[in-house]
Amino acid sequence: PIDEAVTNGLLIHYYGEPNAVSAITDTPDVDNVFHSSIIDYVKSRLYQDRAGLATDGNIAGVSLNLSQVHERKWTEATRMIRLPDFT
């Protein structure tokens, strides 16, 4: 059984094991319509992490702003393609 309880995350469920993405040139084994929105989701989380680790307030502020930009793109994309909003 798959644990479908997700808190502050993203659950992608496959019926089979997808091909691994191990190089920058690889593409996720999902429909092309999801690629850009997945990238925005990941960028949003990476910028949040960067802001949390920054010792300079300016870097933290810029990282938080970039995180919010990508989160808005993710939210807009999930609404456009009618995905549930995971944020």
Side-chain angles (χ1 to χ4, degrees):
I2 297 173
D3 180 15
E4 295 183 4
V6 177
T7 304
N8 295 328
L10 172 67
L11 174 67
I12 299 176
H13 178 78
Y14 290 95
Y15 290 105
E17 187 172 332
N19 296 329
V21 176
S22 57
I24 195 72
T25 57
D26 291 346
T27 57
D29 197 16
V30 295
D31 193 276
N32 291 344
V33 74
F34 299 112
H35 289 190
S36 293
S37 58
I38 290 171
I39 290 168
D40 283 320
Y41 179 82
V42 171
K43 282 183 176 181
S44 171
R45 298 305 170 240
L46 288 173
Y47 281 121
Q48 279 183 345
D49 289 346
R50 180 181 234 187
L53 296 174
T55 56
D56 183 348
N58 293 324
I59 293 173
V62 169
S63 295
L64 281 176
N65 286 339
L66 288 169
S67 173
Q68 291 172 352
V69 165
H70 288 290
E71 187 166 341
R72 279 193 296 272
K73 287 182 179 180
W74 161 257
T75 302
E76 182 180 319
T78 57
R79 289 185 181 135
M80 286 177 44
I81 55 180
R82 292 183 175 36
L83 286 175
D85 189 356
F86 297 108
T87 57

